[in-house]
């Protein structure tokens, strides 16, 4: 893991449990070198099983937020059967990336710029060459998706709601 990428052991990642609990997602911190249940990409990447996000001290914060955002953005049927593979389509994946950048603002000392830099350092790939360029210039579809599912409001603030198939989809205004 590149040294410059924040890990879950970094003091700046301390709000992880509190932030994700607002959505109803539980975080389980594992010990060094413990296997990570539900890690789709393999260790040290975060894992998802049911309503639990698994992280180790060496898990990148961006990975924890990315997997958490998958959980927030998936419909209730997929969430109920979740084990390892979050699934979803390209539009949902884009919304996940956008949401993880927004969530970074709820980690004092991290914020959007640091999250975007960590995403770039880890190798996330965007058409415009960087997470920041994508977020600022090419992510309208991702924002519309989050608005439509009530995850953010029209002021681009988190609603602290997860996607629920029982809720009617909103049309952005």
């Amino acid at each position: 893991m590149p040294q410059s990428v924040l890990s879950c052991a970094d003091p700046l990642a301390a709000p992880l449990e509190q932030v994700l609990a607002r959505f109803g997602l539980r975080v389980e911190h594992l010990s060094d070198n413990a296997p990570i249940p539900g890690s789709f990409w393999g260790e040290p990447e975060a894992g998802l099983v049911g309503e639990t996000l698994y992280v180790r001290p060496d898990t990148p914060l961006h990975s924890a937020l990315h997997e958490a955002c998958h959980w927030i953005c998936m419909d209730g049927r997929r969430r109920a059967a979740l084990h390892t593979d979050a699934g979803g389509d390209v539009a949902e994946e884009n919304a996940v990336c956008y949401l993880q950048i927004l969530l970074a603002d709820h980690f004092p000392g991290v914020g959007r710029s640091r999250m975007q830099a960590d995403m770039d350092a880890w190798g996330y790939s965007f058409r415009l060459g960087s997470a920041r360029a994508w977020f600022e210039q090419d992510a309208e579809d991702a924002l519309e998706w989050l608005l439509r599912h009530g995850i953010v409001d029209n002021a681009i603030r988190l609603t602290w709601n997860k996607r629920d198939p029982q809720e009617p989809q909103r049309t952005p205004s």
Side-chain angles (χ1 to χ4, degrees):
M1 174 170 60
Q3 291 294 336
S4 63
V5 174
L6 291 172
S7 73
C8 288
D10 192 288
L12 295 176
L16 185 64
E17 286 182 60
Q18 181 181 17
V19 169
L20 298 182
R22 293 185 71 179
F23 291 101
L25 182 59
R26 189 172 77 82
V27 177
E28 184 167 329
H29 293 272
L30 304 168
S31 62
D32 291 337
N33 301 315
I36 300 177
S39 179
F40 183 79
W41 295 108
E43 298 159 3
E45 299 287 331
L48 277 173
V49 178
E51 295 186 358
T52 304
L53 175 74
Y54 293 92
V55 300
R56 288 192 319 212
D58 63 339
T59 298
L61 177 60
H62 69 80
S63 173
L65 292 183
H66 188 84
E67 294 306 312
C69 290
H70 268 296
W71 186 86
I72 293 162
C73 290
M74 68 178 55
D75 64 40
R77 187 173 345 155
R78 281 187 14 241
R79 201 178 302 112
L82 178 61
H83 195 299
T84 308
D85 188 355
D89 58 19
V90 171
E92 186 177 302
E93 180 69 27
N94 290 340
V96 164
C97 290
Y98 196 99
L99 181 58
Q100 96 184 67
I101 292 168
L102 293 180
L103 271 177
D105 286 342
H106 295 274
F107 290 75
V110 179
R112 295 175 189 190
S113 294
R114 177 62 191 261
M115 182 56 53
Q116 292 161 346
D118 282 6
M119 291 166 76
D120 290 343
W122 200 255
Y124 286 63
S125 173
F126 296 98
R127 285 188 298 246
L128 298 182
S130 74
R132 181 177 180 173
W134 170 78
F135 186 83
E136 293 175 354
Q137 302 168 36
D138 193 33
E140 299 85 9
D141 58 334
L143 176 56
E144 291 295 321
W145 193 100
L146 293 168
L147 285 163
R148 188 169 56 254
H149 292 285
I151 296 170
V152 299
D153 64 19
N154 290 332
I156 314 176
R157 292 181 306 234
L158 297 175
T159 62
W160 302 104
N161 295 320
K162 60 186 178 278
R163 179 179 172 191
D164 185 343
Q166 307 308 322
E167 294 178 6
Q169 291 187 6
R170 295 183 11 194
T171 303
S173 50

